[in-house]
Structures are given as structure tokens and as C-alpha cells.
Amino acid sequence: MKSFISVLAAVLCFCSFSYGQWAVGPKVSYGTILQGEQSIRVIPNSDKLPVILSYLGGSQVYSAGFTVHNNIGPVFIQFEAQGTKFTQSFSVSDYATPPQVTILDDTQYFIELPVTAGINYNDFRLGVGPILEIAVDRNTDLAYLDEYEDRRQKFNGSFQALLGYQKGIFNMDVRYVYKFSSIVDDFALGNDQLKLNKSANRLSFSVGMLFGGKNNLPEIEEETLPQNVIMF
């Protein structure tokens, strides 16, 4: 929570300082994790029989934060700070007949700092850029598993591709986020190796508003004199 407050304060200070040059405004996003159900291969490194573990997919992704945007001729650059939350589900069972299956939810909270650059075409924009993810909190049922270890990194990264549309102060975009880390990189079960070459990639839709900024003000047409007025 302290990290979130510090980043939010920094963004607000930057927005206040750059209001005359950049457009600034709030933004909310709603998305979904694209990865579906997948078995996780557990390679034991002991005599203990491993659990049967599967990834069941993710819930909706919710984000809220701020955008700082500037159009520079035919190109644009955009900085954002968003608080994001999503939940992933896992199933764990044993080798009994029938097996006892338990569903475990893993909810993560983090701050995203995306940087996007690209081109403008009329009211549309197309851009790409990196995202820095800062872990804030985690509420996980995986902790009930024997020898569970939280291995989520404080800092992580992903990459995004964005298709946006702006009309007046309203700013909308659809983006695809590709995570660099695997789903099973966030935890471990003792010395057993977890194998799943899949990431929690997601697709999201965002709506926001942009205020201020010289490139977001309506153009002022030059005044012209009536043709019937004679200048002396």
C-alpha cells in the first residue's frame, strides 16, 4: 500500500507540473485473462508423491488510474499509472479413486506503469510499449499447499500493443498485454519443479478522459475581414 501511495503521489505531482504541455485525466479498464485451463507438470525431487495440479484460468481484470498524454505531430507518447487486480484459479487433487479435488484462488494486486508510443491517424492511434509491474499485495489459497513458497517478484514486466480512439476529451483503447513470466513463476512447492510454458496474457478495454494540453484544445480559426471592408 505504501508503494501505491508513493507512485500515485509522484504521478499527481508530475501531472500538475506538466498540465500545460500534456493532457491529463482518469482512466478505468476492464479485461480478461486469455489463458484457459491447462495441466501443470509437477516433477518431484523427493520420494514424496506430488499433487496433481492444474491451472483453471483467470477472472476479470480491473484497473483504475491516471493517463498523461501528448501528441507530437503524427505520433504520440503516453504514460500511465494504474492499480490492477485479478484472480487466477487452480485445482489440486490426489491420486485417490475418485480423487479429492480442491479449487484454490490466487488474487494479486499490483501497480502497472505502462509507457506507450505510436502513430496517430485521424481520431485513431496505434502504439506499443513496455509495462513495469510493481507487486503490492497477494491473497492466495495456494498457501494451504504443503511446502508452498511465494516467489512473486517485487518488479516484473510485460509488453503491450494498443489500438486507441479519441473524440474530444474521451479516450478509449483496446490493448493486448503479454507477460514475460510464466504462471508458475509466482510460486513453488518445495523442491518440486513446476512446468507450464504459459503466461497470464490479457485483453482489456479502457475508457478515460483527457484534460488540458495544447494538443487537446480545439484549434482557433484565424479571423478574416469581410470582403467589402476597405483597409486604409
Side-chain angles (χ1 to χ4, degrees):
M1 182 58 68
K2 290 183 179 179
S3 299
F4 177 77
I5 294 175
S6 300
V7 173
L8 185 59
V11 171
L12 290 174
C13 290
F14 177 74
C15 292
S16 300
F17 175 77
S18 61
Y19 184 76
Q21 301 295 324
W22 298 67
V24 181
K27 186 175 189 178
V28 294
S29 301
Y30 174 84
T32 184
I33 295 176
L34 299 177
Q35 179 59 44
E37 185 173 348
Q38 188 81 28
S39 296
I40 299 174
R41 186 182 178 192
V42 182
I43 303 176
N45 284 325
S46 66
D47 296 334
K48 185 178 178 180
L49 196 64
V51 296
I52 301 173
L53 191 62
S54 295
Y55 178 74
L56 301 181
S59 69
Q60 290 72 30
V61 182
Y62 302 97
S63 301
F66 296 90
T67 301
V68 182
H69 179 94
N70 196 2
N71 292 322
I72 309 170
V75 301
F76 75 92
I77 185 169
Q78 182 171 284
F79 302 93
E80 299 173 62
Q82 300 185 43
T84 299
K85 168 194 172 183
F86 65 77
T87 299
Q88 299 179 99
S89 297
F90 300 81
S91 70
V92 59
S93 59
D94 51 28
Y95 289 91
T97 305
Q100 296 181 349
V101 180
T102 304
I103 306 300
L104 305 175
D105 290 331
D106 178 32
T107 302
Q108 299 190 24
Y109 305 83
F110 55 95
I111 297 171
E112 291 183 285
L113 301 176
V115 178
T116 313
I119 58 174
N120 293 309
Y121 181 75
N122 294 331
D123 295 328
F124 293 89
R125 62 174 61 104
L126 179 65
V128 295
I131 302 175
L132 174 64
E133 299 178 358
I134 305 174
V136 175
D137 198 6
R138 185 175 194 176
N139 182 13
T140 180
D141 296 334
L142 293 170
Y144 293 105
L145 296 176
D146 291 339
E147 300 186 85
Y148 164 81
E149 180 183 346
D150 187 350
R151 288 192 177 178
R152 189 171 67 149
Q153 300 293 319
K154 181 66 176 179
F155 300 97
N156 212 327
S158 55
F159 191 81
Q160 64 173 343
L162 174 151
L163 175 62
Y165 176 80
Q166 183 176 348
K167 196 65 175 178
I169 65 171
F170 295 99
N171 182 32
M172 296 167 283
D173 64 62
V174 176
R175 69 182 65 199
Y176 173 77
V177 178
Y178 175 81
K179 287 184 65 68
F180 296 145
S181 60
S182 168
I183 293 170
V184 295
D185 288 344
D186 287 343
F187 67 98
L189 300 178
N191 294 322
D192 293 347
Q193 297 182 36
L194 305 180
K195 297 291 185 179
L196 179 62
N197 190 25
K198 300 292 182 180
S199 300
N201 304 327
R202 60 188 187 272
L203 186 69
S204 66
F205 174 74
S206 303
V207 178
M209 293 183 289
L210 294 173
F211 302 98
K214 60 182 180 179
N215 296 320
N216 288 272
L217 295 176
E219 295 183 357
I220 301 176
E221 297 181 357
E222 295 183 358
E223 295 182 358
T224 57
L225 291 173
Q227 294 181 357
N228 61 349
V229 174
I230 300 176
M231 296 297 294
F232 293 94

